[in-house]
Amino acid sequence: MTALCNALPEQLSLLLVDDHRIFLDGLSLALAPLCADLQIETAESAAAAQACLQQQDFDLILLDLRLPDMPGLELLQRWQQQGCLTPVAILSASDSTLDAQAALNAGALGFIPKSSNSDELRQAVTRVLLGETLPAPESGEPNPLTPRQMEILRLLAEGLPNKSIGRQLGVSEDTIKTHLKTLFQALDVHTRTACVSVARQRGLL
């Protein structure tokens, strides 16, 4: 670990994005030994993170998957669309290999579990700062969606409105709305477009 840390520059600037203040404080302490002059900014929402990025440049962003105003993957995708070149690693309480793969597919350079101890955390952050992409764990998880939800998802990906989806499946439009609500919750999204996008990232489409 010492050798890896010595390979880092003496001055680094990190942005930590998480909605739990106490976790941000602990994370800042855990990362303090990374280099002699470590500048850490914190943001507790997607909006605050966006504001920080507009004010200064960072060497790395550590981003939580679940923020109060926007899912982390949607925020990451927005940054990608804006041409943001700052490396991003996801730091999440989720231990889902599907979430990890979705994060990498969305452009993250790594997926670091919050269950990591301080040494593991610094090791992972150092590897990303040195330009390495952390591989996702092997997936052994079953598909989290039911067969009916998969049918709706595929029709959603074709751009069909709720009424047309219901007609094809022989159910009411209200039933489709109920299934969509469950789909959005399962994939942690808020829009039809994001639902299809995240499903593709997870290999469900």
Side-chain angles (χ1 to χ4, degrees):
M1 180 61 211
T2 303
L4 276 175
C5 280
N6 287 342
L8 293 175
E10 292 187 1
Q11 185 174 18
L12 287 170
S13 180
L14 306 183
L15 175 60
L16 314 181
V17 187
D18 192 283
D19 61 337
H20 294 93
R21 182 75 251 173
I22 192 168
F23 178 76
L24 288 173
D25 292 342
L27 185 58
S28 299
L29 286 172
L31 293 173
L34 274 178
C35 67
D37 185 7
L38 180 63
Q39 304 296 321
I40 291 180
E41 294 291 334
T42 60
E44 297 180 44
S45 67
Q50 188 75 11
C52 286
L53 274 180
Q54 291 171 348
Q55 292 169 3
Q56 70 177 95
D57 293 326
F58 296 93
D59 295 296
L60 177 66
I61 301 170
L62 291 179
L63 175 65
D64 188 21
L65 272 183
R66 290 172 176 83
L67 298 172
D69 51 346
M70 179 184 294
L73 281 186
E74 284 191 38
L75 180 59
L76 176 57
Q77 288 174 316
R78 175 178 293 184
W79 287 338
Q80 295 279 317
Q81 292 165 359
Q82 292 172 347
C84 175
L85 299 178
T86 307
V88 177
I90 298 296
L91 188 63
S92 177
S94 170
D95 58 0
S96 168
T97 54
L98 288 174
D99 282 341
Q101 191 58 58
L104 294 177
N105 290 344
L109 295 184
F111 187 93
I112 307 170
K114 285 184 177 179
S115 57
S116 303
N117 62 37
S118 294
D119 284 340
E120 291 168 340
L121 173 66
R122 287 191 295 269
Q123 180 80 23
V125 169
T126 297
R127 289 170 64 187
V128 174
L129 283 166
L130 291 176
E132 186 176 343
T133 298
L134 305 181
E138 291 297 322
S139 176
E141 298 178 21
N143 188 332
L145 305 180
T146 66
R148 176 46 61 102
Q149 288 169 349
M150 286 298 299
E151 284 182 313
I152 293 172
L153 184 59
R154 282 190 283 268
L155 294 172
L156 194 66
E158 293 177 12
L160 296 183
N162 291 351
K163 187 175 291 186
S164 297
I165 294 175
R167 193 178 300 122
Q168 286 212 25
L169 298 180
V171 297
S172 71
E173 188 175 352
D174 286 341
T175 298
I176 296 301
K177 288 179 181 177
T178 300
H179 279 301
L180 283 179
K181 183 178 179 181
T182 304
L183 262 177
F184 287 5
Q185 290 174 341
L187 299 179
D188 195 22
V189 296
H190 301 295
T191 67
R192 296 163 70 94
T193 301
C195 183
V196 173
S197 177
V198 169
R200 284 189 174 128
Q201 289 164 9
R202 292 190 176 195
L204 298 175
L205 285 172

